[in-house]
Amino acid sequence: MSEQIKPVRKAVLPVAGLGTRLLPATKVMPKEMLTILDRPLIQMAVEEARQAGIEEFIFVISSGKDVLIRQFECPQALMDMLEKRNKVEQIEKVKASSLPEGAIQTASQEVALGLGHAVWCAKELVGDEPFAVILPDDTVRHERSCLAQMMDAYNQHGGNIVATCEVDMKDASKYGMLDIASRDGQTVSVKGLVEKPKAEEAPSNMAIFGRYILQPEIFNYLDRHEKGAGGEIQLTDAMVHLIQDQPFHGFAFEGERLDCGSEVGFVKANIAYALDKDSISDEVAEYMMEKLRAYHEGKAMLGKSKKAAA
Ligand code: G1P
């Protein structure tokens, strides 16, 4: 790493949202606790970050979501019970999914004013050093953690980096979209960004996916609390300003992106990870084939034929 490139030790996880897209599942339970097989989304995000060398986690949280912090504790009563029953494997699972004391700090965001506002809430805890932002709904399925891949690019280029992937132009209005100056392999130099543009106004088909490495100067712009797309304080808008001052890259990561904040994305993620898991993959694949056959014959839907449902 060159001398001017400061290491990234902290990750901000904006987890204050209400998860209304997944109601009623999220009525009581935070959406970040929804599980892909045996791991809650928040666990997957933290594990990804740890694989990238992150040591400190800043959860931007709202009241009622404390369970997200408890997920990383090692509860004594549970450990005692597992030890008494000699459940060695389970003990390891609990330990591996816990964080050392003090690794999580919290900042509160009681009103949902936008992603930019959520990140701004972590300002004091981030301090004057580069940091990562992870949106736990957005997962990337790959052997090498997406943030670790980005960290390699960061150690080469420094500055600011967002994860990026190609999307259908018709979906541009769901994402922050990149205006690209040049490309070099997986890394693109970014000259502008537009948050949730109409398809015809998107500067490219490259979208921001929920991973960022940012320099602390982003807070100079987040401090302004400017409202943007959807009347929200957008992280993208603050980054638009930062692009004028500092190097800014997009990194086309390797791996399958899965939007677990939507019903379809969540189902896809469960299927993809199930097929990765040796102990269940054969049975799951067989079941899926059976279901697919029935689906194509119009027999898979409870209480109605495919035609009747259409
Ligand atoms: C946020 C960001 C957007 C980004 C997206 C990735 O939008 O504002 O720029 O492309 O995450 O998932 P949200 O999905 O919170 O509306």
Side-chain angles (χ1 to χ4, degrees):
M1 201 187 299
S2 106
E3 271 190 30
Q4 307 90 305
I5 300 179
K6 285 195 189 166
V8 181
R9 301 181 309 115
K10 299 182 180 180
V12 174
L13 289 92
V15 292
L18 294 173
T20 48
R21 276 201 294 169
L22 292 170
L23 279 167
T26 50
K27 205 165 139 187
V28 179
M29 185 178 65
K31 68 171 171 179
E32 298 82 4
M33 284 305 291
L34 293 173
T35 61
I36 307 299
L37 299 193
D38 54 359
R39 288 185 305 159
L41 291 173
I42 190 74
Q43 183 88 49
M44 293 170 75
V46 164
E47 282 176 18
E48 178 184 332
R50 288 181 96 183
Q51 284 160 17
I54 298 291
E55 295 155 12
E56 288 180 41
F57 298 86
I58 302 166
F59 286 13
V60 179
I61 210 161
S62 54
S63 49
K65 297 189 84 174
D66 299 5
V67 67
L68 294 174
I69 301 160
R70 295 212 305 278
Q71 173 65 23
F72 298 95
E73 291 169 359
C74 205
Q76 198 52 52
L78 176 64
M79 293 304 273
D80 289 348
M81 189 270 282
L82 292 174
E83 265 160 36
K84 218 155 96 194
R85 298 185 189 177
N86 203 22
K87 301 268 184 199
V88 181
E89 204 184 312
Q90 284 82 346
I91 291 173
E92 278 321 304
K93 281 186 185 173
V94 177
K95 281 188 186 159
S97 60
S98 305
L99 284 173
E101 228 179 285
I104 300 179
Q105 304 207 58
T106 58
S108 109
Q109 188 200 25
E110 290 307 334
V111 194
L113 296 176
L115 178 59
H117 178 258
V119 173
W120 175 82
C121 289
K123 177 181 169 176
E124 299 306 321
L125 293 172
V126 168
D128 189 26
E129 57 180 287
F131 63 102
V133 178
I134 297 188
L135 311 186
D137 292 4
D138 288 347
T139 62
V140 179
R141 186 180 144 267
H142 195 266
E143 278 165 0
R144 184 155 166 73
S145 128
C146 178
L147 193 63
Q149 296 179 39
M150 288 171 71
M151 220 59 108
D152 294 343
Y154 173 75
N155 290 337
Q156 203 182 336
H157 299 281
N160 304 270
I161 302 185
V162 292
T164 184
C165 56
E166 290 184 10
V167 294
D168 262 346
M169 278 311 226
K170 68 173 171 37
D171 290 330
S173 62
K174 296 183 190 162
Y175 296 98
M177 301 299 293
L178 273 54
D179 191 355
I180 291 165
S182 62
R183 287 172 195 246
D184 178 11
Q186 282 175 275
T187 309
V188 296
S189 173
V190 179
K191 62 176 176 181
L193 295 164
V194 188
E195 180 67 12
K196 302 196 169 79
K198 291 184 189 145
E200 57 277 19
E201 282 159 22
S204 76
N205 67 343
M206 302 289 287
I208 303 173
F209 202 60
R211 306 285 180 276
Y212 310 73
I213 294 175
L214 296 170
Q215 296 299 320
E217 287 76 18
I218 190 75
F219 292 113
N220 299 340
Y221 299 110
L222 289 174
D223 278 340
R224 297 180 182 177
H225 288 207
E226 274 168 23
K227 284 190 183 158
E232 295 189 346
I233 301 168
Q234 298 289 356
L235 180 56
T236 301
D237 295 340
M239 295 193 297
V240 167
H241 292 297
L242 194 61
I243 288 171
Q244 308 308 316
D245 312 333
Q246 295 186 354
F248 205 106
H249 292 96
F251 179 76
F253 55 88
E254 280 177 17
E256 182 185 8
R257 69 189 161 92
L258 292 156
D259 170 13
C260 298
S262 77
E263 202 176 12
V264 167
F266 183 70
V267 172
K268 283 184 185 172
N270 269 295
I271 293 173
Y273 282 97
L275 294 176
D276 285 337
K277 193 168 179 174
D278 283 343
S279 57
I280 56 170
S281 57
D282 286 350
E283 201 176 330
V284 171
E286 216 168 284
Y287 178 75
M288 281 169 61
M289 282 193 299
E290 209 178 281
K291 280 284 159 197
L292 269 178
R293 266 195 302 270
Y295 180 79
H296 288 303
E297 287 166 15
K299 293 179 195 156
M301 291 167 149
L302 264 188
K304 52 191 166 188
S305 73
K306 194 177 162 193
K307 270 203 184 119

